[in-house]
Amino acid sequence: MPPNLSSRPSNQRRSDYMGKADIVARNIKFALTGEDKRNWFAGNPVATAIMDGASILFPVGETYFINAVVHFRDRVSDPKLLAEINGFQQQEGIHSREHRRYNNAIKAFGGDVDALEQNLRDEIARWDDSPEFKLAVTCAFEHFTAILADDLLAHPDFMAGAEPEFSRIWHWHAIEEAEHKSVAYDVWNIVKPKGLKGYLMRTRAMRLATRVFLQQTHNNAFTLLAARGEAATGRNIRRALYFGLVKPGTLRRQMGAYLSYYLPGFHPWQHDNRHLIEQRKDSYAAPITAAE
Ligand SMILES: [Fe+2]
Ligand SMILES: [Fe+2]
């Protein structure tokens, strides 16, 4: 029986009525080194470089997200949200560690990963660093990771032909991004500037996140490709567009979900995808430590 929203107490947050996933930090070490897994994504250098280019953003990005959310912990009194913040912090901390290991592993394929990571640090250094805006930026990137995660989990053929361990780390990350997708946003709803000012800050942060995510992933991917002996030829540019717009086609499929963020009453759990988490999470139930 759905709750009667019109009768909810005025101090009850809208998200309290929504089902949310439990947040479980799965401390897994992935085995990405060893045999040469160059072009690990179905032998496709462009698809591989796009995913690797995104991976390079995570250690710096997720550290930023943790700090942005934890900054406001003292403003939160709800024990459930406090527990969710802890879960979020643990999950993002392990993601950051594992993508650092991932990024070290792909150095063997070519490309100056450290220089690409520094590009993101330099970019962040130019942003408004007020705590509220940092949280708004975090909410925006968390929406990006949530819709990318949803796309990966909803389409089992997304990573068809990928090396199993690379597929595994991306699915693991997707499950946890889906689980904690509303944590930053629920904190934001407590501390945001009131009224129009809050909405304008949230959507300004999303426009920034959109530019940075697309620019940096694109730049990282083509820099890696060049270092791996693949020029930015017309063919490779077409392959990148095909990846984004046709197959798997995440940018096309998720456009509506992306735009929903601009609605004034947006909340991440308005899109309830707990069934996708349920379908996948058992493969990660036990902490597994793989050989280095
Ligand atoms: Fe993450
Ligand atoms: Fe996240």
Side-chain angles (χ1 to χ4, degrees), residues 40-41 46-56 102 158-159 170 243:
W40 60 262
F41 200 144
V46 175
T48 303
I50 290 171
M51 299 303 285
D52 290 352
S55 175
I56 289 171
Y102 177 131
F158 187 115
M159 286 225 173
W170 281 108
F243 183 86

Side-chain angles (χ1 to χ4, degrees), residues 62 65 88 92 142 145 177 180:
E62 292 178 317
F65 304 158
F88 166 82
E92 295 291 41
E142 284 290 280
T145 54
E177 288 303 319
H180 73 228

Side-chain angles (χ1 to χ4, degrees), residues 140-159:
F141 276 109
E142 284 290 280
H143 185 55
F144 261 106
T145 54
I147 59 180
L148 297 177
D150 184 72
D151 200 70
L152 183 57
L153 296 175
H155 299 92
D157 63 341
F158 187 115
M159 286 225 173

Side-chain angles (χ1 to χ4, degrees), residues 166-237:
F166 277 93
S167 175
R168 218 163 77 84
I169 187 172
W170 281 108
H171 281 93
W172 161 82
H173 199 160
I175 289 167
E176 299 199 350
E177 288 303 319
E179 285 177 345
H180 73 228
K181 65 179 174 178
S182 74
V183 176
Y185 204 88
D186 288 336
V187 176
W188 166 255
N189 273 337
I190 294 171
V191 305
K192 66 184 174 186
K194 297 294 166 232
L196 186 60
K197 199 172 168 207
Y199 175 78
L200 292 177
M201 184 182 283
R202 176 167 78 79
T203 49
R204 176 165 65 95
M206 180 47 110
R207 291 196 301 278
L208 173 72
T210 305
R211 174 184 65 75
V212 170
F213 182 77
L214 294 177
Q215 250 178 19
Q216 295 257 329
T217 304
H218 175 271
N219 178 60
N220 288 357
F222 278 95
T223 305
L224 290 175
L225 275 172
R228 295 170 181 179
E230 290 276 345
T233 56
R235 178 167 180 258
N236 279 339
I237 292 167

Side-chain angles (χ1 to χ4, degrees), residues 143 147 251-263:
H143 185 55
I147 59 180
L251 295 181
R252 168 182 50 80
R253 286 195 295 231
Q254 297 295 332
M255 189 53 76
Y258 166 75
L259 291 172
S260 71
Y261 193 81
Y262 292 90
L263 295 171

